[in-house]
PDB file of all heavy atoms in Angstrom:
ATOM      1  N   GLY A   1     -15.605 -33.084 -32.304  1.00 47.00           N
ATOM      2  CA  GLY A   1     -16.863 -32.957 -31.517  1.00 47.00           C
ATOM      3  C   GLY A   1     -17.678 -31.729 -31.875  1.00 47.00           C
ATOM      4  O   GLY A   1     -18.522 -31.320 -31.102  1.00 47.00           O
ATOM      5  N   PHE A   2     -17.452 -31.186 -33.084  1.00 47.00           N
ATOM      6  CA  PHE A   2     -18.118 -29.973 -33.436  1.00 47.00           C
ATOM      7  C   PHE A   2     -19.635 -30.210 -33.555  1.00 47.00           C
ATOM      8  O   PHE A   2     -20.103 -31.185 -34.095  1.00 47.00           O
ATOM      9  CB  PHE A   2     -17.610 -29.482 -34.809  1.00 47.00           C
ATOM     10  CG  PHE A   2     -18.430 -28.369 -35.393  1.00 47.00           C
ATOM     11  CD1 PHE A   2     -18.309 -27.064 -34.904  1.00 47.00           C
ATOM     12  CD2 PHE A   2     -19.313 -28.596 -36.433  1.00 47.00           C
ATOM     13  CE1 PHE A   2     -19.048 -26.063 -35.433  1.00 47.00           C
ATOM     14  CE2 PHE A   2     -20.070 -27.590 -36.924  1.00 47.00           C
ATOM     15  CZ  PHE A   2     -19.905 -26.310 -36.457  1.00 47.00           C
ATOM     16  N   SER A   3     -20.369 -29.280 -32.998  1.00 47.00           N
ATOM     17  CA  SER A   3     -21.807 -29.253 -33.101  1.00 47.00           C
ATOM     18  C   SER A   3     -22.307 -27.850 -32.871  1.00 47.00           C
ATOM     19  O   SER A   3     -21.554 -26.976 -32.440  1.00 47.00           O
ATOM     20  CB  SER A   3     -22.495 -30.210 -32.087  1.00 47.00           C
ATOM     21  OG  SER A   3     -22.257 -29.766 -30.792  1.00 47.00           O
ATOM     22  N   THR A   4     -23.571 -27.634 -33.159  1.00 45.00           N
ATOM     23  CA  THR A   4     -24.103 -26.261 -33.007  1.00 45.00           C
ATOM     24  C   THR A   4     -24.079 -25.831 -31.534  1.00 45.00           C
ATOM     25  O   THR A   4     -24.038 -24.654 -31.245  1.00 45.00           O
ATOM     26  CB  THR A   4     -25.533 -26.217 -33.518  1.00 45.00           C
ATOM     27  OG1 THR A   4     -26.312 -27.228 -32.876  1.00 45.00           O
ATOM     28  CG2 THR A   4     -25.567 -26.445 -35.025  1.00 45.00           C
ATOM     29  N   SER A   5     -24.090 -26.825 -30.640  1.00 48.00           N
ATOM     30  CA  SER A   5     -24.083 -26.483 -29.212  1.00 48.00           C
ATOM     31  C   SER A   5     -22.721 -26.218 -28.645  1.00 48.00           C
ATOM     32  O   SER A   5     -22.563 -25.808 -27.531  1.00 48.00           O
ATOM     33  CB  SER A   5     -24.767 -27.579 -28.391  1.00 48.00           C
ATOM     34  OG  SER A   5     -24.009 -28.790 -28.517  1.00 48.00           O
ATOM     35  N   SER A   6     -21.663 -26.540 -29.441  1.00 50.00           N
ATOM     36  CA  SER A   6     -20.297 -26.375 -28.929  1.00 50.00           C
ATOM     37  C   SER A   6     -19.555 -25.294 -29.710  1.00 50.00           C
ATOM     38  O   SER A   6     -18.348 -25.288 -29.695  1.00 50.00           O
ATOM     39  CB  SER A   6     -19.524 -27.696 -29.061  1.00 50.00           C
ATOM     40  OG  SER A   6     -19.400 -28.090 -30.404  1.00 50.00           O
ATOM     41  N   CYS A   7     -20.256 -24.392 -30.359  1.00 53.00           N
ATOM     42  CA  CYS A   7     -19.584 -23.351 -31.115  1.00 53.00           C
ATOM     43  C   CYS A   7     -20.391 -22.089 -31.110  1.00 53.00           C
ATOM     44  O   CYS A   7     -21.644 -22.130 -31.298  1.00 53.00           O
ATOM     45  CB  CYS A   7     -19.342 -23.834 -32.555  1.00 53.00           C
ATOM     46  SG  CYS A   7     -18.539 -22.610 -33.633  1.00 53.00           S
ATOM     47  N   ASP A   8     -19.761 -20.931 -30.914  1.00 55.00           N
ATOM     48  CA  ASP A   8     -20.410 -19.628 -31.031  1.00 55.00           C
ATOM     49  C   ASP A   8     -20.181 -19.102 -32.436  1.00 55.00           C
ATOM     50  O   ASP A   8     -19.104 -18.611 -32.728  1.00 55.00           O
ATOM     51  CB  ASP A   8     -19.850 -18.656 -29.976  1.00 55.00           C
ATOM     52  CG  ASP A   8     -20.249 -19.029 -28.575  1.00 55.00           C
ATOM     53  OD1 ASP A   8     -21.466 -19.312 -28.403  1.00 55.00           O
ATOM     54  OD2 ASP A   8     -19.417 -19.071 -27.689  1.00 55.00           O
ATOM     55  N   THR A   9     -21.115 -19.232 -33.295  1.00 48.00           N
ATOM     56  CA  THR A   9     -20.945 -18.779 -34.691  1.00 48.00           C
ATOM     57  C   THR A   9     -21.149 -17.288 -34.890  1.00 48.00           C
ATOM     58  O   THR A   9     -20.649 -16.706 -35.815  1.00 48.00           O
ATOM     59  CB  THR A   9     -21.904 -19.562 -35.635  1.00 48.00           C
ATOM     60  OG1 THR A   9     -23.239 -19.349 -35.173  1.00 48.00           O
ATOM     61  CG2 THR A   9     -21.573 -21.026 -35.605  1.00 48.00           C
ATOM     62  N   GLU A  10     -21.914 -16.681 -33.967  1.00 58.00           N
ATOM     63  CA  GLU A  10     -22.222 -15.248 -34.123  1.00 58.00           C
ATOM     64  C   GLU A  10     -21.729 -14.460 -32.937  1.00 58.00           C
ATOM     65  O   GLU A  10     -22.383 -13.618 -32.391  1.00 58.00           O
ATOM     66  CB  GLU A  10     -23.731 -15.047 -34.308  1.00 58.00           C
ATOM     67  CG  GLU A  10     -24.280 -15.650 -35.586  1.00 58.00           C
ATOM     68  CD  GLU A  10     -23.691 -15.016 -36.836  1.00 58.00           C
ATOM     69  OE1 GLU A  10     -23.072 -13.952 -36.702  1.00 58.00           O
ATOM     70  OE2 GLU A  10     -23.873 -15.622 -37.928  1.00 58.00           O
ATOM     71  N   ILE A  11     -20.546 -14.805 -32.434  1.00 79.00           N
ATOM     72  CA  ILE A  11     -19.982 -14.102 -31.278  1.00 79.00           C
ATOM     73  C   ILE A  11     -19.645 -12.626 -31.662  1.00 79.00           C
ATOM     74  O   ILE A  11     -19.013 -12.388 -32.703  1.00 79.00           O
ATOM     75  CB  ILE A  11     -18.781 -14.860 -30.737  1.00 79.00           C
ATOM     76  CG1 ILE A  11     -18.428 -14.362 -29.308  1.00 79.00           C
ATOM     77  CG2 ILE A  11     -17.571 -14.726 -31.637  1.00 79.00           C
ATOM     78  CD1 ILE A  11     -17.564 -15.346 -28.571  1.00 79.00           C
ATOM     79  N   PRO A  12     -20.112 -11.665 -30.885  1.00 87.00           N
ATOM     80  CA  PRO A  12     -19.910 -10.276 -31.269  1.00 87.00           C
ATOM     81  C   PRO A  12     -18.479  -9.824 -31.442  1.00 87.00           C
ATOM     82  O   PRO A  12     -18.234  -8.892 -32.198  1.00 87.00           O
ATOM     83  CB  PRO A  12     -20.629  -9.496 -30.112  1.00 87.00           C
ATOM     84  CG  PRO A  12     -21.559 -10.488 -29.544  1.00 87.00           C
ATOM     85  CD  PRO A  12     -20.924 -11.799 -29.685  1.00 87.00           C
ATOM     86  N   PHE A  13     -17.559 -10.482 -30.772  1.00 93.00           N
ATOM     87  CA  PHE A  13     -16.150 -10.074 -30.855  1.00 93.00           C
ATOM     88  C   PHE A  13     -15.664 -10.085 -32.309  1.00 93.00           C
ATOM     89  O   PHE A  13     -14.837  -9.238 -32.672  1.00 93.00           O
ATOM     90  CB  PHE A  13     -15.316 -11.072 -30.013  1.00 93.00           C
ATOM     91  CG  PHE A  13     -13.836 -10.765 -30.079  1.00 93.00           C
ATOM     92  CD1 PHE A  13     -13.281  -9.640 -29.467  1.00 93.00           C
ATOM     93  CD2 PHE A  13     -12.975 -11.630 -30.779  1.00 93.00           C
ATOM     94  CE1 PHE A  13     -11.907  -9.401 -29.535  1.00 93.00           C
ATOM     95  CE2 PHE A  13     -11.619 -11.352 -30.833  1.00 93.00           C
ATOM     96  CZ  PHE A  13     -11.068 -10.279 -30.210  1.00 93.00           C
ATOM     97  N   ARG A  14     -16.165 -10.961 -33.137  1.00 93.00           N
ATOM     98  CA  ARG A  14     -15.702 -11.026 -34.506  1.00 93.00           C
ATOM     99  C   ARG A  14     -16.079  -9.739 -35.263  1.00 93.00           C
ATOM    100  O   ARG A  14     -15.315  -9.243 -36.111  1.00 93.00           O
ATOM    101  CB  ARG A  14     -16.341 -12.211 -35.207  1.00 93.00           C
ATOM    102  CG  ARG A  14     -15.867 -13.562 -34.661  1.00 93.00           C
ATOM    103  CD  ARG A  14     -16.643 -14.709 -35.265  1.00 93.00           C
ATOM    104  NE  ARG A  14     -16.421 -14.818 -36.686  1.00 93.00           N
ATOM    105  CZ  ARG A  14     -17.063 -15.707 -37.462  1.00 93.00           C
ATOM    106  NH1 ARG A  14     -17.924 -16.534 -36.921  1.00 93.00           N
ATOM    107  NH2 ARG A  14     -16.800 -15.759 -38.779  1.00 93.00           N
ATOM    108  N   TYR A  15     -17.226  -9.146 -34.933  1.00 93.00           N
ATOM    109  CA  TYR A  15     -17.621  -7.907 -35.585  1.00 93.00           C
ATOM    110  C   TYR A  15     -16.771  -6.745 -35.071  1.00 93.00           C
ATOM    111  O   TYR A  15     -16.446  -5.826 -35.868  1.00 93.00           O
ATOM    112  CB  TYR A  15     -19.104  -7.622 -35.320  1.00 93.00           C
ATOM    113  CG  TYR A  15     -20.011  -8.723 -35.835  1.00 93.00           C
ATOM    114  CD1 TYR A  15     -20.801  -9.452 -34.981  1.00 93.00           C
ATOM    115  CD2 TYR A  15     -20.047  -9.030 -37.194  1.00 93.00           C
ATOM    116  CE1 TYR A  15     -21.623 -10.495 -35.440  1.00 93.00           C
ATOM    117  CE2 TYR A  15     -20.845 -10.068 -37.656  1.00 93.00           C
ATOM    118  CZ  TYR A  15     -21.638 -10.777 -36.799  1.00 93.00           C
ATOM    119  OH  TYR A  15     -22.444 -11.788 -37.264  1.00 93.00           O
ATOM    120  N   LEU A  16     -16.394  -6.773 -33.826  1.00 95.00           N
ATOM    121  CA  LEU A  16     -15.504  -5.730 -33.310  1.00 95.00           C
ATOM    122  C   LEU A  16     -14.158  -5.792 -33.978  1.00 95.00           C
ATOM    123  O   LEU A  16     -13.563  -4.763 -34.306  1.00 95.00           O
ATOM    124  CB  LEU A  16     -15.331  -5.861 -31.797  1.00 95.00           C
ATOM    125  CG  LEU A  16     -14.453  -4.791 -31.189  1.00 95.00           C
ATOM    126  CD1 LEU A  16     -15.256  -3.546 -30.886  1.00 95.00           C
ATOM    127  CD2 LEU A  16     -13.719  -5.261 -29.971  1.00 95.00           C
ATOM    128  N   VAL A  17     -13.623  -6.977 -34.207  1.00 96.00           N
ATOM    129  CA  VAL A  17     -12.331  -7.128 -34.860  1.00 96.00           C
ATOM    130  C   VAL A  17     -12.397  -6.580 -36.290  1.00 96.00           C
ATOM    131  O   VAL A  17     -11.476  -5.892 -36.737  1.00 96.00           O
ATOM    132  CB  VAL A  17     -11.938  -8.611 -34.880  1.00 96.00           C
ATOM    133  CG1 VAL A  17     -10.781  -8.849 -35.862  1.00 96.00           C
ATOM    134  CG2 VAL A  17     -11.549  -9.085 -33.500  1.00 96.00           C
ATOM    135  N   ASN A  18     -13.500  -6.868 -37.002  1.00 96.00           N
ATOM    136  CA  ASN A  18     -13.655  -6.282 -38.355  1.00 96.00           C
ATOM    137  C   ASN A  18     -13.673  -4.780 -38.293  1.00 96.00           C
ATOM    138  O   ASN A  18     -13.112  -4.102 -39.178  1.00 96.00           O
ATOM    139  CB  ASN A  18     -14.971  -6.803 -38.964  1.00 96.00           C
ATOM    140  CG  ASN A  18     -14.896  -8.326 -39.259  1.00 96.00           C
ATOM    141  OD1 ASN A  18     -13.820  -8.859 -39.383  1.00 96.00           O
ATOM    142  ND2 ASN A  18     -16.037  -8.951 -39.330  1.00 96.00           N
ATOM    143  N   LEU A  19     -14.337  -4.200 -37.278  1.00 97.00           N
ATOM    144  CA  LEU A  19     -14.291  -2.748 -37.146  1.00 97.00           C
ATOM    145  C   LEU A  19     -12.908  -2.242 -36.832  1.00 97.00           C
ATOM    146  O   LEU A  19     -12.488  -1.169 -37.318  1.00 97.00           O
ATOM    147  CB  LEU A  19     -15.258  -2.309 -36.023  1.00 97.00           C
ATOM    148  CG  LEU A  19     -16.723  -2.240 -36.352  1.00 97.00           C
ATOM    149  CD1 LEU A  19     -17.505  -1.822 -35.096  1.00 97.00           C
ATOM    150  CD2 LEU A  19     -17.002  -1.260 -37.501  1.00 97.00           C
ATOM    151  N   ALA A  20     -12.125  -2.993 -36.058  1.00 97.00           N
ATOM    152  CA  ALA A  20     -10.755  -2.580 -35.735  1.00 97.00           C
ATOM    153  C   ALA A  20      -9.911  -2.537 -37.010  1.00 97.00           C
ATOM    154  O   ALA A  20      -9.041  -1.674 -37.113  1.00 97.00           O
ATOM    155  CB  ALA A  20     -10.144  -3.575 -34.734  1.00 97.00           C
ATOM    156  N   GLN A  21     -10.174  -3.434 -37.938  1.00 97.00           N
ATOM    157  CA  GLN A  21      -9.427  -3.382 -39.209  1.00 97.00           C
ATOM    158  C   GLN A  21      -9.785  -2.107 -40.008  1.00 97.00           C
ATOM    159  O   GLN A  21      -8.890  -1.519 -40.622  1.00 97.00           O
ATOM    160  CB  GLN A  21      -9.751  -4.643 -40.003  1.00 97.00           C
ATOM    161  CG  GLN A  21      -9.214  -5.934 -39.409  1.00 97.00           C
ATOM    162  CD  GLN A  21      -9.687  -7.186 -40.143  1.00 97.00           C
ATOM    163  OE1 GLN A  21     -10.863  -7.542 -40.125  1.00 97.00           O
ATOM    164  NE2 GLN A  21      -8.763  -7.860 -40.787  1.00 97.00           N
ATOM    165  N   ILE A  22     -11.056  -1.758 -39.949  1.00 98.00           N
ATOM    166  CA  ILE A  22     -11.448  -0.485 -40.616  1.00 98.00           C
ATOM    167  C   ILE A  22     -10.855   0.714 -39.890  1.00 98.00           C
ATOM    168  O   ILE A  22     -10.451   1.701 -40.519  1.00 98.00           O
ATOM    169  CB  ILE A  22     -12.987  -0.397 -40.715  1.00 98.00           C
ATOM    170  CG1 ILE A  22     -13.563  -1.577 -41.498  1.00 98.00           C
ATOM    171  CG2 ILE A  22     -13.403   0.930 -41.356  1.00 98.00           C
ATOM    172  CD1 ILE A  22     -15.071  -1.610 -41.565  1.00 98.00           C
ATOM    173  N   SER A  23     -10.802   0.639 -38.558  1.00 97.00           N
ATOM    174  CA  SER A  23     -10.224   1.763 -37.811  1.00 97.00           C
ATOM    175  C   SER A  23      -8.739   1.959 -38.167  1.00 97.00           C
ATOM    176  O   SER A  23      -8.262   3.097 -38.230  1.00 97.00           O
ATOM    177  CB  SER A  23     -10.363   1.499 -36.313  1.00 97.00           C
ATOM    178  OG  SER A  23      -9.443   0.522 -35.835  1.00 97.00           O
ATOM    179  N   GLN A  24      -8.066   0.853 -38.436  1.00 97.00           N
ATOM    180  CA  GLN A  24      -6.638   0.999 -38.879  1.00 97.00           C
ATOM    181  C   GLN A  24      -6.582   1.736 -40.214  1.00 97.00           C
ATOM    182  O   GLN A  24      -5.733   2.620 -40.393  1.00 97.00           O
ATOM    183  CB  GLN A  24      -6.028  -0.408 -39.066  1.00 97.00           C
ATOM    184  CG  GLN A  24      -4.582  -0.337 -39.571  1.00 97.00           C
ATOM    185  CD  GLN A  24      -3.975  -1.694 -39.825  1.00 97.00           C
ATOM    186  OE1 GLN A  24      -4.608  -2.768 -39.567  1.00 97.00           O
ATOM    187  NE2 GLN A  24      -2.785  -1.756 -40.331  1.00 97.00           N
ATOM    188  N   GLU A  25      -7.494   1.432 -41.147  1.00 97.00           N
ATOM    189  CA  GLU A  25      -7.505   2.137 -42.413  1.00 97.00           C
ATOM    190  C   GLU A  25      -7.835   3.595 -42.237  1.00 97.00           C
ATOM    191  O   GLU A  25      -7.264   4.472 -42.903  1.00 97.00           O
ATOM    192  CB  GLU A  25      -8.529   1.485 -43.369  1.00 97.00           C
ATOM    193  CG  GLU A  25      -8.101   0.104 -43.849  1.00 97.00           C
ATOM    194  CD  GLU A  25      -8.911  -0.347 -45.065  1.00 97.00           C
ATOM    195  OE1 GLU A  25      -9.097   0.471 -45.957  1.00 97.00           O
ATOM    196  OE2 GLU A  25      -9.348  -1.496 -45.069  1.00 97.00           O
ATOM    197  N   ILE A  26      -8.767   3.909 -41.339  1.00 97.00           N
ATOM    198  CA  ILE A  26      -9.124   5.301 -41.075  1.00 97.00           C
ATOM    199  C   ILE A  26      -7.929   6.054 -40.533  1.00 97.00           C
ATOM    200  O   ILE A  26      -7.607   7.175 -40.936  1.00 97.00           O
ATOM    201  CB  ILE A  26     -10.307   5.400 -40.091  1.00 97.00           C
ATOM    202  CG1 ILE A  26     -11.567   4.841 -40.807  1.00 97.00           C
ATOM    203  CG2 ILE A  26     -10.517   6.805 -39.611  1.00 97.00           C
ATOM    204  CD1 ILE A  26     -12.788   4.760 -39.885  1.00 97.00           C
ATOM    205  N   GLN A  27      -7.204   5.435 -39.606  1.00 95.00           N
ATOM    206  CA  GLN A  27      -6.055   6.108 -39.029  1.00 95.00           C
ATOM    207  C   GLN A  27      -4.953   6.278 -40.068  1.00 95.00           C
ATOM    208  O   GLN A  27      -4.330   7.358 -40.141  1.00 95.00           O
ATOM    209  CB  GLN A  27      -5.523   5.342 -37.836  1.00 95.00           C
ATOM    210  CG  GLN A  27      -4.389   6.078 -37.105  1.00 95.00           C
ATOM    211  CD  GLN A  27      -4.040   5.397 -35.808  1.00 95.00           C
ATOM    212  OE1 GLN A  27      -4.058   4.159 -35.705  1.00 95.00           O
ATOM    213  NE2 GLN A  27      -3.690   6.154 -34.786  1.00 95.00           N
ATOM    214  N   GLU A  28      -4.670   5.252 -40.816  1.00 96.00           N
ATOM    215  CA  GLU A  28      -3.629   5.352 -41.829  1.00 96.00           C
ATOM    216  C   GLU A  28      -3.956   6.360 -42.921  1.00 96.00           C
ATOM    217  O   GLU A  28      -3.109   7.016 -43.482  1.00 96.00           O
ATOM    218  CB  GLU A  28      -3.341   4.004 -42.449  1.00 96.00           C
ATOM    219  CG  GLU A  28      -2.693   3.000 -41.485  1.00 96.00           C
ATOM    220  CD  GLU A  28      -2.513   1.629 -42.117  1.00 96.00           C
ATOM    221  OE1 GLU A  28      -3.068   1.414 -43.204  1.00 96.00           O
ATOM    222  OE2 GLU A  28      -1.822   0.821 -41.493  1.00 96.00           O
ATOM    223  N   THR A  29      -5.271   6.486 -43.209  1.00 96.00           N
ATOM    224  CA  THR A  29      -5.705   7.403 -44.270  1.00 96.00           C
ATOM    225  C   THR A  29      -5.706   8.853 -43.802  1.00 96.00           C
ATOM    226  O   THR A  29      -5.251   9.753 -44.539  1.00 96.00           O
ATOM    227  CB  THR A  29      -7.145   7.031 -44.718  1.00 96.00           C
ATOM    228  OG1 THR A  29      -7.132   5.695 -45.213  1.00 96.00           O
ATOM    229  CG2 THR A  29      -7.606   7.978 -45.840  1.00 96.00           C
ATOM    230  N   PHE A  30      -6.160   9.131 -42.585  1.00 95.00           N
ATOM    231  CA  PHE A  30      -6.388  10.478 -42.154  1.00 95.00           C
ATOM    232  C   PHE A  30      -5.540  10.953 -40.959  1.00 95.00           C
ATOM    233  O   PHE A  30      -5.305  12.149 -40.817  1.00 95.00           O
ATOM    234  CB  PHE A  30      -7.840  10.683 -41.750  1.00 95.00           C
ATOM    235  CG  PHE A  30      -8.775  10.770 -42.944  1.00 95.00           C
ATOM    236  CD1 PHE A  30      -9.843   9.908 -43.039  1.00 95.00           C
ATOM    237  CD2 PHE A  30      -8.590  11.740 -43.925  1.00 95.00           C
ATOM    238  CE1 PHE A  30     -10.717   9.943 -44.125  1.00 95.00           C
ATOM    239  CE2 PHE A  30      -9.461  11.830 -45.006  1.00 95.00           C
ATOM    240  CZ  PHE A  30     -10.535  10.936 -45.119  1.00 95.00           C
ATOM    241  N   TYR A  31      -5.131  10.027 -40.050  1.00 94.00           N
ATOM    242  CA  TYR A  31      -4.688  10.473 -38.765  1.00 94.00           C
ATOM    243  C   TYR A  31      -3.224  10.194 -38.435  1.00 94.00           C
ATOM    244  O   TYR A  31      -2.776  10.467 -37.311  1.00 94.00           O
ATOM    245  CB  TYR A  31      -5.599   9.905 -37.640  1.00 94.00           C
ATOM    246  CG  TYR A  31      -7.000  10.505 -37.693  1.00 94.00           C
ATOM    247  CD1 TYR A  31      -8.052   9.813 -38.299  1.00 94.00           C
ATOM    248  CD2 TYR A  31      -7.231  11.764 -37.186  1.00 94.00           C
ATOM    249  CE1 TYR A  31      -9.324  10.364 -38.358  1.00 94.00           C
ATOM    250  CE2 TYR A  31      -8.511  12.326 -37.235  1.00 94.00           C
ATOM    251  CZ  TYR A  31      -9.526  11.628 -37.832  1.00 94.00           C
ATOM    252  OH  TYR A  31     -10.770  12.190 -37.876  1.00 94.00           O
ATOM    253  N   THR A  32      -2.470   9.613 -39.366  1.00 94.00           N
ATOM    254  CA  THR A  32      -1.050   9.534 -39.120  1.00 94.00           C
ATOM    255  C   THR A  32      -0.441  10.952 -39.255  1.00 94.00           C
ATOM    256  O   THR A  32      -1.110  11.848 -39.815  1.00 94.00           O
ATOM    257  CB  THR A  32      -0.337   8.622 -40.117  1.00 94.00           C
ATOM    258  OG1 THR A  32      -0.490   9.145 -41.466  1.00 94.00           O
ATOM    259  CG2 THR A  32      -0.953   7.218 -40.052  1.00 94.00           C
ATOM    260  N   LEU A  33       0.720  11.133 -38.785  1.00 93.00           N
ATOM    261  CA  LEU A  33       1.367  12.446 -38.863  1.00 93.00           C
ATOM    262  C   LEU A  33       1.454  12.931 -40.308  1.00 93.00           C
ATOM    263  O   LEU A  33       1.099  14.076 -40.633  1.00 93.00           O
ATOM    264  CB  LEU A  33       2.749  12.414 -38.223  1.00 93.00           C
ATOM    265  CG  LEU A  33       3.569  13.712 -38.236  1.00 93.00           C
ATOM    266  CD1 LEU A  33       2.854  14.771 -37.462  1.00 93.00           C
ATOM    267  CD2 LEU A  33       4.964  13.441 -37.679  1.00 93.00           C
ATOM    268  N   ARG A  34       1.931  12.053 -41.200  1.00 94.00           N
ATOM    269  CA  ARG A  34       2.085  12.432 -42.588  1.00 94.00           C
ATOM    270  C   ARG A  34       0.764  12.691 -43.269  1.00 94.00           C
ATOM    271  O   ARG A  34       0.605  13.676 -44.007  1.00 94.00           O
ATOM    272  CB  ARG A  34       2.871  11.362 -43.332  1.00 94.00           C
ATOM    273  CG  ARG A  34       4.267  11.107 -42.802  1.00 94.00           C
ATOM    274  CD  ARG A  34       5.136  12.324 -42.858  1.00 94.00           C
ATOM    275  NE  ARG A  34       6.526  12.010 -42.449  1.00 94.00           N
ATOM    276  CZ  ARG A  34       7.390  12.936 -42.049  1.00 94.00           C
ATOM    277  NH1 ARG A  34       7.008  14.195 -41.968  1.00 94.00           N
ATOM    278  NH2 ARG A  34       8.610  12.590 -41.700  1.00 94.00           N
TER     279      ARG A  34
END
C-alpha cells in the first residue's frame, strides 16, 4: 500500500541518527580514556 501519503520520506529523526553516528566517531577519536 505504499504511496506518498503513507510514508514520511524526510522525517527529521533520520538526520539525528546520522549525527549520532558521527558523534560516536568524535567520541572514539577524542574522548575515550585512551
Side-chain angles (χ1 to χ4, degrees):
F2 170 77
S3 67
T4 55
S5 63
S6 64
C7 179
D8 290 313
T9 57
E10 296 297 345
I11 196 161
F13 178 72
R14 295 173 63 185
Y15 301 117
L16 181 86
V17 167
N18 293 336
L19 280 179
Q21 293 173 292
I22 300 176
S23 75
Q24 177 184 357
E25 291 196 45
I26 292 174
Q27 186 171 36
E28 291 177 349
T29 301
F30 285 124
Y31 292 100
T32 64
L33 179 62
R34 300 300 185 199

